Amino acid sequence: PEQFESANVDARTDIYSLGGTLCYLLTGQFPYADCRTILQMMTAHMTKPPPAPSTLDPSIPAECDRIVARAMAKELADRYQTAEELADDLE
């Protein structure tokens, strides 16, 4: 989200992207796949909560929903602060 706002980026921006990748790996769908234009997609990444993978596939554990939500949190302070924190939760 911060890249769309031309804000400073750091490793937490990469963690956001990794959360989107994890969502895709779990579901086979990109987050905000329902957006029809790039503007809609940018807006979704900046304002909408990330989709819970279990809504697309009920067999996905709720813990995966929590991990994706935290990795894709809009606010940097709410996101995993390091890749190690994310890896620990994934384990």
Side-chain angles (χ1 to χ4, degrees):
E2 51 274 9
Q3 285 183 304
F4 290 131
E5 296 175 334
S6 297
N8 291 332
V9 298
D10 59 25
R12 294 170 296 178
T13 304
D14 294 332
I15 290 170
Y16 182 92
S17 297
L18 189 55
T21 301
L22 178 59
C23 183
Y24 180 81
L25 290 170
L26 290 167
T27 66
Q29 293 185 31
F30 291 107
Y32 313 116
D34 59 331
C35 295
R36 290 179 286 181
T37 68
I38 190 68
L39 185 56
Q40 287 176 337
M41 185 172 292
M42 290 171 64
T43 301
H45 278 284
M46 292 187 305
T47 62
K48 286 178 137 184
S54 68
T55 62
L56 299 171
D57 181 349
S59 70
I60 296 171
E63 184 65 12
C64 291
D65 291 344
R66 188 189 68 74
I67 291 170
V68 168
R70 185 170 174 199
M72 295 185 69
K74 304 303 176 212
E75 297 295 323
L76 288 170
D78 296 335
R79 213 174 287 162
Y80 289 101
Q81 299 301 295
T82 66
E84 290 80 13
E85 286 180 7
L86 174 58
D88 288 345
D89 274 1
L90 286 171
E91 285 182 22

